[in-house]
Amino acid sequence: MTTATHRTATHRTLNRPMTLILALTCAVAVGNVYFPQAVVPLAAAGLGVPPESASLAVTATQAGYTAGMFLLVPLGDRLPHRAFLVALLGLTGLGLCAAGCAPSLPVLVAASAFTGFTTVAAQVVGPLAAGLVAPDRRGAVIGTLLSGSIGGMLLARTFSGTLGEWLGWRAPYLVAAALVLLLAAALARTVPVTAPSSRQPYPALLAEPLRLLRTEPALRRSCFYQATVFAGFSAVWTGVALLLTGPSYGLGAQAVGLLALVGGPTMFCTPFAGRLVDRRGPDPVNLVCLLGVLASAPVMAVGASGGALGPAALVLGTLLLDVAMQSGMVANQARVYAVRPDARSRLNTAYMTCAYVGGSAGSWIGVRAYGRAGWWGVCALVALLAALALARHLAALYGRAPVGKRLPPPS
């Protein structure tokens, strides 16, 4: 079978039921990173340790997830996707079972790190789906998968907290393990066989994301956009916890969780953003999203004063920020996946790593901005970061070559 024929055949394999299964896989895989946060107090009581010590399980999960993105996701270009996904989900299920049966905190921490390391299926599903769908449908599919990830992130804490209160802290781990293993069985039957796109040895695969960042301008642009916007997003959610629990509002930590649920409509916006990317291309969608992030800053700033208008401003501003950030991610990933079809997993590794580095930096800077200038300082930081990304985007769209000739708009 020729390459062209193979591509045509695989494009027809990604039907709606399979897309929904892949979106559910993203939801469960991402949810595994977040649901332990809600059961820390229950696990601490059950294991007889302080909550601060039990929170090491959350830290271990997140550290393992970061390591998995570095060390496992690039293998998506080297291994057949179906076997790789089933193996990842199977290992995740074993890690969750071990965590749910852990007799002591050290065992729980070790099992959590292993679970985080292997629950990177969402980062493998994206490149897989991009290769199974025609280019004019790629944005819509990416939007649907991202909608699943958002749903998993939003609902995981509610799921684990409710189930943990009802059946104990071990129950969320064991139920999550059952879900993951069921998904592994479903994917083993539904995902088509795909040939690896690379035969590079493993060390070369690990080095490839850095090389792609050096050589691919479209990848660097997408990474810069997402890193700056995600930095602002992380700064907001770090600062808003200080705002709501501070003297202006005097609320508890539960209020932060309720505000986070405001992002639920984003699940329905990302598929729409994906269809816009398919029709218009990623650049116009990025432009609107960056303007949306910039506009969210003054809206959120009104929330500094509290009172009757403050909560409404926070709800509207954080919703606008969330929709703009996640919709921009759809545009960025569509651009990234089009750069090198044979290196989508390595491209995704570079992209997601830059995004998480930006998010971590945003959280760190956001705390300091709040300490120096309060909530106004956090909103000013969001505006500055959005302005930097917007300036870079406009320069890419309308910049001029050194010889004075106008550059064509990027694809």
Side-chain angles (χ1 to χ4, degrees):
M1 181 183 289
T2 65
T3 302
T5 305
H6 175 72
R7 285 176 182 165
T8 302
T10 56
H11 287 165
R12 297 195 186 104
T13 62
L14 193 61
N15 52 28
R16 185 168 180 79
M18 189 189 302
T19 301
L20 294 177
I21 291 175
L22 292 178
L24 181 59
T25 302
C26 292
V28 173
V30 171
N32 288 336
V33 180
Y34 291 94
F35 86 76
Q37 296 173 351
V39 296
V40 163
L42 299 173
L47 295 173
V49 298
E52 295 79 8
S53 299
S55 66
L56 287 174
V58 176
T59 304
T61 303
Q62 294 172 339
Y65 186 69
T66 303
M69 283 200 297
F70 273 113
L71 299 175
L72 293 182
V73 173
L75 286 170
D77 291 330
R78 184 68 178 82
L79 302 174
H81 284 113
R82 183 171 70 183
F84 188 35
L85 276 173
V86 171
L88 284 175
L89 292 170
L91 291 172
T92 300
L94 292 176
L96 289 166
C97 285
C101 298
S104 64
L105 180 61
V107 176
L108 175 61
V109 170
S112 297
F114 180 79
T115 299
F117 183 67
T118 58
T119 191
V120 292
Q123 307 307 328
V124 177
V125 164
L128 163 66
L132 292 177
V133 69
D136 60 352
R137 287 188 56 232
R138 189 170 294 148
V141 170
I142 292 171
T144 300
L145 297 180
L146 185 57
S147 177
S149 297
I150 295 168
M153 182 173 60
L154 290 175
L155 299 177
R157 298 180 187 92
T158 304
F159 151 78
S160 62
T162 303
L163 193 63
E165 289 284 355
W166 185 30
L167 296 176
W169 71 270
R170 299 180 188 274
Y173 285 98
L174 298 177
V175 171
L179 287 174
V180 165
L181 294 175
L182 285 173
L183 280 171
L187 293 179
R189 296 178 61 86
T190 57
V191 172
V193 176
T194 57
S197 60
S198 173
R199 297 188 179 277
Q200 287 184 291
Y202 182 58
L205 287 175
L206 293 183
E208 188 76 357
L210 286 176
R211 191 190 70 79
L212 290 168
L213 278 171
R214 290 196 306 269
T215 59
E216 300 294 346
L219 173 62
R220 289 198 301 273
R221 275 209 300 141
S222 294
C223 289
F224 183 73
Y225 299 160
Q226 197 62 34
T228 50
V229 171
F230 196 43
F233 178 85
S234 299
V236 163
W237 285 104
T238 302
V240 80
L242 301 174
L243 174 68
L244 291 178
T245 57
S248 296
Y249 287 87
L251 301 174
Q254 187 178 11
V256 182
L258 291 175
L259 182 61
L261 291 177
V262 170
T266 308
M267 295 172 55
F268 306 100
C269 295
T270 51
F272 175 72
R275 291 192 290 272
L276 285 179
V277 170
D278 290 334
R279 291 199 297 265
R280 304 284 186 177
D283 285 334
V285 175
N286 266 140
L287 179 60
V288 173
C289 291
L290 292 174
L291 290 172
V293 174
L294 188 61
S296 72
V299 177
M300 290 187 295
V302 177
S305 58
L309 187 59
L314 289 177
V315 167
L316 180 60
T318 54
L319 177 59
L320 179 57
L321 174 65
D322 198 21
V323 169
M325 190 274 289
Q326 300 287 7
S327 298
M329 179 174 276
V330 176
N332 288 329
Q333 286 190 307
R335 185 187 296 108
V336 166
Y337 290 152
V339 169
R340 283 267 306 274
D342 64 314
R344 288 192 174 111
S345 291
R346 286 161 285 173
L347 289 163
N348 198 43
T349 296
Y351 172 74
M352 293 304 298
T353 300
C354 289
Y356 273 85
V357 168
S360 300
S363 296
W364 187 84
I365 298 171
V367 171
R368 280 142 188 84
Y370 190 90
R372 288 180 176 272
W375 181 243
W376 288 93
V378 175
C379 295
L381 175 63
V382 173
L384 174 62
L385 291 168
L388 289 173
L390 184 60
R392 175 68 182 86
H393 191 51
L394 293 175
L397 290 177
Y398 305 113
R400 295 181 180 274
V403 294
K405 293 184 178 180
R406 193 173 186 83
L407 294 173
S411 58

